Amino acid sequence: MSYLVLDRLTKRFTSWTAVDDLSLTVEKGELISLLGPSGCGKTTTLQMIAGFLDPNAGRITLDGQDLLAKKPNERGLGIVFQSYALFPHMTAAENVAFGLEMRGTSRVDRDRMVANTLKLVGLDSYGDRYPRRMSGGQQQRVALARALVIKPHLLLLDEPLSNLDAKMREEMQIELRRIQRSVGTTMILVTHDQSEAMALSDRVVVMNKGRIQQVATPQEAYDRPANAFVANFLGRTNLLPGTVEHDQNGTSIAVADARWPVIQAVPPGPGALAVRPEKISFVAEAGLSGIVQARVFQGTQWLFEVETAAGRMMVIRQHDGGVLPNERERVMVGWRPEDMAVMPAQEAA
Amino acid sequence: MTMAASTDAATPAVPTVAPAPERVGERWSWAPYLLSLPGLALFAVLLLVPLAMTALLSLNSFSFYGGIQDVWRFDNYLEILADSYFHEVFLRTFRIAALVTLLCALLGAPQAYILRRMTPAWRSLCLLIVLGPLLISVVSRTLGWALLLGSTGLLNQALMNLGLVSEPIEFMYTETGVVIALTHVLVPFMVLSVWASLQRLDPQVENAALSLGAGPSTVLRRIVLPQIVPGILSGSIIVFALAASAFATPAIIGGRRLKVAATLAYDEFLNTLNWPLGATVAILLLLANIVIIVGCNRLVERRYKQVFE
Ligand SMILES: Nc1ncnc2c1ncn2[C@@H]1O[C@H](COP(=O)(O)OP(=O)(O)OP(=O)(O)O)[C@@H](O)[C@H]1O
Ligand SMILES: [Mg+2]
């Protein structure tokens, strides 16, 4: 049995369905990221796990116990709120100490733990400041410290690093990863920063309009997106229409004048393939022919735009001294079968 | 060295360029004062002049045969400060005002909090019920209370029929009756004021406290209450000031026997015709009100200084 199980969760606000039939299992000690465009239901999902919103349907179990039967103050989770939600009438140190106080930690231990945690987030000299007197990034770190200090088994992080500068964000990412590794804290992280999700997560959950689009390791989701939404959401991609055929040699997909063998299991009929710009190379034969419309030098790489019979494609080649085509040149582009993701046509809409 | 040299080089250019725009900015501008003149004039005519005239009147003296004498003395003040009858009236006034303020805070603050937790439909209905009394004249509301509180009134009949008391309880012409009626009249001000400060509360802050393991009552005491102190304080100031200077309710429920400062001043003006003494009562009431309110305000603001920023 998995540590945290979300089973067919649905949350409706009057007529709007914010989370739609969402099922997800999270293993103990895992760091899983929720990714998706604004308003896709990430915060709503976390709020249901935390107990601040009641789902209209579905079940949540944590460590085999029904979580929905427990009140929010009995769930023992650590939460970093998107809006920080600091106590405005308490100093930074009092904010951090509040959870320990509720747990009956002795004064001496409390002071020591608060000091350590504030130091961890780089705020050791800000203990007696009120939130109103702190910058957005400092407030966010107090919120992080407040959730970390109680050493919860499950940590819900709603864009916990969104307001930090690049250096501080990197430090906090490493810190989160260290805590997850050493203490074994299970974490659910909501982030808008794809590279952050890619760098930190064991698995990513890509959501759109309240529904899960794909759950996979970061690399898998990037290399083999389940559908066009995931392909477009995670970095840039080329999406080409084609026809999937099954014959005695196996499955293949025909795109304009070219054909690639397909490794994945896809039903025959109209389909589409997604391939990343940096996975495409210029080939001499067995490729898709087209004309270079534009080429742009980007320092370490060249960006090409190639007009083919299947549509306009983006190609990225490293600037490594190799011979590259010029504008208006007739070329042929190709890629390895394992570098593309093939999906039925309805998934590509 | 280079820094110094460059500043030196730049200095001569400054006086020729910089002061010109500065003088434009510093020029005395009459427009804001002229524009606020009508408002200031209204304020002066309607408030400052009558107040000053009352203050001057309180320095005159009064004789039963000669009427108001044009003298400038503090005799009236000395008389009030020396006479235990006046002490009693003023003490009663502020005792009633303090009790009413306390009751309004105890009733109004929870009321506002409960209102906020309601669903929008119920909330607007209940808000209408709470604020509705403000639409009815104080006099008719107080007369209603007189009907309820009288010795043969509804309340006493109910209590006697239930067998809770054998004799009717005297509410009319007692402080209890005045306090009950005034609380009813003034509690909407407290609700409105606390309501305004509750609107600024982030509901996620309460959730944060819950998630850290605080029970609902702890959240209320440690998180919600400190944040609505400014609302309770401003509500208390309004209620206290209105209760201490209330006239209609003490006049009807308290009657002749139970005088407060406002009814006392009224009687001095219209029954005894001792205008200077009446004016003195009014001025003393004003001064005491200001001292008490400013004092309490300071105390509470110091105690909860971080929520007042
Ligand atoms: N209390 C509410 N009443 C009505 N609709 C709501 C409420 N809360 C959220 N929604 C709607 O539910 C949807 C999901 O909201 P949610 O806050 O979960 O988005 P999100 O994925 O966290 O977005 P963001 O990345 O911008 O934080 C949104 O379309 C939002 O408008
Ligand atoms: Mg959100």
Side-chain angles (χ1 to χ4, degrees), chain B residues 143-158:
Chain B
L143 285 172
W145 274 109
L147 290 179
L148 282 177
L149 297 177
S151 54
T152 55
L154 214 57
L155 189 58
N156 268 321
Q157 280 183 11

Side-chain angles (χ1 to χ4, degrees), chain B residues 72 136-137 237 241:
Chain B
W72 310 103
I136 305 165
S137 140
I237 289 174

Side-chain angles (χ1 to χ4, degrees), chain B residues 134-301:
Chain B
L134 286 180
L135 304 174
I136 305 165
S137 140
V138 181
V139 176
S140 28
R141 263 189 295 169
T142 310
L143 285 172
W145 274 109
L147 290 179
L148 282 177
L149 297 177
S151 54
T152 55
L154 214 57
L155 189 58
N156 268 321
Q157 280 183 11
L159 286 176
M160 289 195 338
N161 287 344
L162 285 173
L164 292 174
V165 294
S166 51
E167 296 271 297
I169 303 174
E170 205 52 72
F171 288 114
M172 286 303 284
Y173 316 117
T174 64
E175 280 186 34
T176 319
V178 176
V179 167
I180 292 176
L182 267 181
T183 304
H184 174 244
V185 173
L186 296 176
V187 87
F189 292 101
M190 182 66 80
V191 174
L192 275 182
S193 165
V194 174
W195 173 262
S197 70
L198 277 172
Q199 293 295 297
R200 268 177 280 140
L201 224 71
D202 176 4
Q204 293 287 30
V205 171
E206 286 168 70
N207 284 344
L210 283 177
S211 78
L212 290 167
S217 64
T218 312
V219 172
L220 211 57
R221 191 166 43 82
R222 297 276 312 268
I223 308 297
V224 176
L225 192 60
Q227 290 188 76
I228 59 172
V229 164
I232 296 178
L233 182 66
S234 55
S236 298
I237 289 174
I238 298 171
V239 169
F240 187 88
L242 289 176
S245 52
F247 174 75
T249 307
I252 296 171
I253 307 269
R256 272 289 163 57
R257 272 185 271 166
L258 197 79
K259 278 201 190 155
V260 296
T263 50
L264 175 68
Y266 175 87
D267 277 349
E268 290 302 334
F269 270 97
L270 294 187
N271 290 340
T272 333
L273 296 181
N274 188 346
W275 286 26
L277 194 64
T280 311
V281 172
I283 293 288
L284 280 176
L285 177 62
L286 177 69
L287 288 179
N289 245 344
I290 290 174
V291 168
I292 292 174
I293 288 171
V294 170
C296 290
N297 202 4
R298 282 276 164 77
L299 263 177
V300 179
E301 274 191 10

Side-chain angles (χ1 to χ4, degrees), chain A residues 47 52 73 77 79 81 83 85-90 98 101-103 130 132-133 146, chain B residues 202 204-205 207-216 218 222-223 226-227 306-307 309:
Chain A
Q47 299 258 319
F52 308 139
N73 55 326
L77 314 179
I79 303 169
F81 291 80
S83 58
L86 296 179
F87 309 129
H89 57 293
M90 296 185 193
F98 188 82
E101 211 178 310
M102 293 301 119
R103 279 160 177 70
Y130 286 97
R132 239 175 287 246
R133 294 268 165 87
R146 186 177 67 177
Chain B
D202 176 4
Q204 293 287 30
V205 171
N207 284 344
L210 283 177
S211 78
L212 290 167
T218 312
R222 297 276 312 268
I223 308 297
Q227 290 188 76
Q306 64 288 349
V307 289
E309 282 175 356

Side-chain angles (χ1 to χ4, degrees), chain A residues 57-304:
Chain A
R59 282 161 18 94
I60 305 177
T61 57
L62 180 69
D63 217 0
Q65 291 179 347
D66 181 13
L67 204 59
L68 293 178
K70 287 189 182 174
K71 297 204 185 75
N73 55 326
E74 293 162 354
R75 297 191 183 189
L77 314 179
I79 303 169
V80 176
F81 291 80
Q82 192 168 9
S83 58
Y84 318 150
L86 296 179
F87 309 129
H89 57 293
M90 296 185 193
T91 62
E94 285 166 353
N95 263 280
V96 178
F98 188 82
L100 295 174
E101 211 178 310
M102 293 301 119
R103 279 160 177 70
T105 313
S106 76
R107 173 117 223 166
V108 187
D109 289 345
R110 205 156 76 204
D111 288 348
R112 184 177 45 78
M113 288 163 84
V114 168
N116 285 344
T117 315
L118 280 176
K119 190 165 179 187
L120 188 84
V121 297
L123 288 176
D124 19 358
S125 55
Y126 290 84
D128 43 18
R129 277 229 197 161
Y130 286 97
R132 239 175 287 246
R133 294 268 165 87
M134 304 181 110
S135 74
Q138 290 168 340
Q139 291 181 29
Q140 193 162 37
R141 281 181 279 156
V142 175
L144 190 60
R146 186 177 67 177
L148 289 177
V149 77
I150 59 172
K151 301 203 164 59
H153 295 299
L154 177 60
L155 197 53
L156 308 178
L157 304 155
D158 201 344
E159 306 196 20
L161 313 176
S162 60
N163 235 325
L164 307 185
D165 61 47
K167 184 168 164 289
M168 183 55 78
R169 181 179 312 191
E170 211 161 273
E171 282 175 26
M172 290 297 117
Q173 286 173 356
I174 292 169
E175 200 49 54
L176 283 179
R177 194 73 185 171
R178 189 190 63 75
I179 291 169
Q180 185 230 350
R181 288 274 161 75
S182 64
V183 186
T185 311
T186 311
M187 300 189 190
I188 302 184
L189 172 77
V190 169
T191 175
H192 267 130
D193 181 347
Q194 286 182 23
S195 60
E196 180 170 294
M198 298 284 175
L200 286 180
S201 329
D202 297 311
R203 286 187 300 157
V204 295
V205 177
V206 184
M207 292 176 67
N208 187 30
K209 297 193 181 133
R211 291 181 155 274
I212 288 187
Q213 304 295 316
Q214 186 171 12
V215 185
T217 65
Q219 197 187 342
E220 205 176 300
Y222 186 82
D223 287 342
R224 245 175 299 290
N227 56 37
F229 176 82
V230 178
N232 282 319
F233 189 75
L234 299 177
R236 288 182 292 192
T237 198
N238 294 296
L239 201 67
L240 304 176
T243 314
V244 180
E245 287 158 14
H246 288 192
D247 55 23
Q248 66 276 16
N249 299 330
T251 313
S252 65
I253 183 167
V255 181
D257 55 347
R259 175 179 295 274
W260 277 269
V262 176
I263 310 169
Q264 295 133 276
V266 192
L273 71 79
V275 58
R276 300 281 171 194
E278 67 274 13
K279 297 284 170 69
I280 303 174
S281 53
F282 296 105
V283 293
E285 55 181 5
L288 197 56
S289 53
I291 296 171
V292 176
Q293 295 291 342
R295 66 175 220 173
V296 180
F297 183 52
Q298 292 184 324
T300 59
Q301 62 188 26
W302 288 89
L303 178 67
F304 293 88

